[in-house]
């Protein structure tokens, strides 16, 4: 399929889209493509999310010190900067 789509967007929307694309290091076309793909692609199932969570957990080396994030946040907040 080689269909082209033309969007009639107002200048403010185009500017915002261009800023967003630049912040992600994309062209405007690539940014629009990514937004559309994320929006219309099939949603993930609970099984997909569990598998992804396990994959992320597996990235932590065995024997690593585990610290609750709230403790780190509180310590940073309470530290006199």
């Amino acid at each position: 399929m080689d269909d082209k789509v033309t969007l009639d967007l107002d200048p403010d929307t185009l500017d915002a889209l261009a800023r967003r694309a630049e912040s992600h290091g994309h062209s405007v076309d690539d940014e629009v493509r990514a937004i559309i793909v994320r929006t219309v692609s099939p949603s993930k199932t609970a099984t997909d999310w569990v598998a992804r969570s396990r994959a992320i957990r597996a990235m932590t080396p065995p024997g690593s010190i585990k610290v609750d994030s709230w403790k780190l946040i509180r310590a940073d907040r309470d530290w006199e900067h």
Side-chain angles (χ1 to χ4, degrees):
M1 181 185 293
D2 194 18
D3 294 330
K4 295 288 183 183
V5 176
T6 303
L7 303 175
D8 185 20
L9 302 173
D10 64 90
D12 291 338
T13 302
L14 284 173
D15 288 343
L17 190 56
R19 286 191 305 275
R20 180 178 171 149
E22 184 178 352
S23 73
H24 292 139
H26 297 158
S27 68
V28 172
D29 284 349
D30 288 343
E31 188 69 19
V32 169
R33 192 174 298 107
I35 291 168
I36 292 170
V37 167
R38 275 195 317 272
T39 304
V40 300
S41 64
S43 61
K44 301 286 186 181
T45 65
T47 304
D48 294 331
W49 290 112
V50 169
R52 179 69 178 134
S53 297
R54 288 185 176 145
I56 292 170
R57 185 182 318 140
M59 293 179 200
T60 303
S64 295
I65 298 173
K66 294 179 178 39
V67 179
D68 287 329
S69 59
W70 67 268
K71 290 180 183 178
L72 297 173
I73 293 168
R74 182 169 288 164
D76 185 60
R77 183 197 64 203
D78 294 341
W79 183 51
E80 298 295 325
H81 289 275

